[in-house]
Amino acid sequence: MSGEPKYTLYQFPMSYYSQKVLLAFFEKKLDFKPVFVNLMANEQLQEWYYRLHPNGLVPLLQYDDKLLPESDDIIDHLDKQNTETCLVPSVDTDVGKEVARWRSLLTSEVPIELITYGVFFNPEMSVTGINAPIKLTKDDMRERSGQAAKALMALAEKMPDVKDNIERKLKGMEERKNVITDTEKVMAKIDELQAVFDKVEQKLKESGGGAWLCGNDYSAADITLTVLMNRLVLLGILPLFLKETRPLVAAYWERAETRGCMKQLKEFGIKSAQEQAAKQAK
């Protein structure tokens, strides 16, 4: 008899970093128990969750009485669980070095949070329209931000051991607001991403237009790039990056969006939304 899955994944299906880990689970064909953390209701800021994750973020992986909070660390761990597929080649190999380099670049040089919130706050910046199941107005976003700040301040009183983390989060929220409410600053962040896609196009050209970013095998670097491009689809700004000068990037996305793990990701999101709607209807 099979028991409970070894892994419990605290996640929110629309979360950028949750999607990276979900794709890894699907690629590795590993079972997990999903726990829905409703970011729209600021559930990640509730005391029960902060006691699990001192930064109040998703995803979070729980297994064998251990907690693993960072998406890339989770992917590294999952990749070691079977050898059927390899997402994270050893850095002792040339391809492993390239995968590591691109994972780092696609994280450090991609201001995805500011672009996401910026386009949500300024939907007129979307080219094809925001394709998200949840629609937020400027007033909605201001209200949610205010609620989050109040929840964090209340949490700091209950949990003085994470007060420094909470103060950093509050400061980060204020800095984010200063960017996303200024369309010129948001556009500057989008322009930063243009430079990243120039590098992706060049990399694909150097590899002879190979199937994936670092060779013939789909890797953790491809997971990051796939989730990034999927987020740009959601925001309705992917056409800004699929220029005539980047034909290999466009071809890459055609391959990535039809990959089996992407189909599973979409099905997972739909199922999760249906389950949450059923709970709310009770």
Side-chain angles (χ1 to χ4, degrees), residues 39-273:
L39 303 192
M40 302 308 297
N42 288 320
E43 192 172 9
Q44 79 280 14
L45 305 181
Q46 293 180 7
E47 184 177 356
W48 72 269
Y49 189 71
Y50 240 85
R51 294 203 177 279
L52 294 174
H53 195 314
N55 291 317
L57 301 171
V58 292
L60 174 67
L61 186 70
Q62 186 173 33
Y63 68 99
D64 297 338
D65 297 322
K66 297 182 178 68
L67 294 168
L68 197 55
E70 296 294 333
S71 60
D72 281 343
D73 291 342
I74 295 172
I75 293 171
D76 289 348
H77 171 80
L78 296 179
D79 195 51
K80 297 172 184 175
Q81 302 312 302
N82 66 44
T83 57
E84 186 175 337
T85 57
C86 178
L87 299 173
V88 189
S90 169
V91 292
D92 292 333
T93 66
D94 289 342
V95 67
K97 289 182 177 69
E98 278 298 282
V99 170
R101 184 173 75 87
W102 277 96
R103 291 176 80 188
S104 176
L105 185 153
L106 290 169
T107 300
S108 63
E109 298 186 20
V110 176
I112 194 60
E113 182 183 40
L114 294 174
I115 291 173
T116 298
Y117 280 93
V119 175
F120 266 112
F121 195 81
N122 305 281
E124 68 277 5
M125 300 183 76
S126 177
V127 176
T128 58
I130 296 174
N131 184 30
I134 302 165
K135 305 297 183 184
L136 296 174
T137 65
K138 285 183 170 65
D139 287 341
D140 290 334
M141 293 184 70
R142 291 190 185 99
E143 182 179 357
R144 286 190 68 252
S145 180
Q147 291 172 344
K150 289 179 181 178
L152 283 167
M153 288 186 283
L155 202 57
E157 295 297 320
K158 295 179 181 178
M159 301 177 64
D161 53 316
V162 295
K163 187 174 182 179
D164 289 345
N165 288 357
I166 289 173
E167 288 177 351
R168 283 194 295 270
K169 185 181 284 287
L170 287 168
K171 182 180 178 182
M173 289 169 58
E174 189 63 28
E175 292 172 349
R176 184 179 69 199
K177 183 179 74 173
N178 291 337
V179 173
I180 70 171
T181 54
D182 186 327
T183 54
E184 290 187 3
K185 291 180 179 177
V186 176
M187 185 53 69
K189 296 300 176 183
I190 291 174
D191 288 341
E192 289 180 25
L193 195 51
Q194 294 285 6
V196 171
F197 276 99
D198 283 339
K199 293 178 182 179
V200 172
E201 179 72 19
Q202 182 60 34
K203 172 62 177 174
L204 292 170
K205 186 180 298 184
E206 290 172 356
S207 63
W212 304 112
L213 192 56
C214 298
N216 293 324
D217 296 324
Y218 193 81
S219 72
D222 294 293
I223 283 179
T224 303
L225 183 55
T226 300
V227 171
L228 169 59
M229 297 184 78
N230 191 52
R231 172 54 54 93
L232 300 180
V233 170
L234 179 142
L235 296 174
I237 60 173
L238 184 61
L240 294 176
F241 304 93
L242 300 184
K243 299 179 178 180
E244 291 182 1
T245 54
R246 298 182 190 136
L248 298 179
V249 170
Y252 178 96
W253 177 239
E254 288 180 4
R255 294 191 296 273
E257 71 173 334
T258 57
R259 194 169 173 84
C261 64
M262 280 296 290
K263 180 181 179 181
Q264 288 176 278
L265 180 67
K266 292 173 184 176
E267 291 173 347
F268 180 88
I270 292 170
K271 181 181 177 182
S272 181

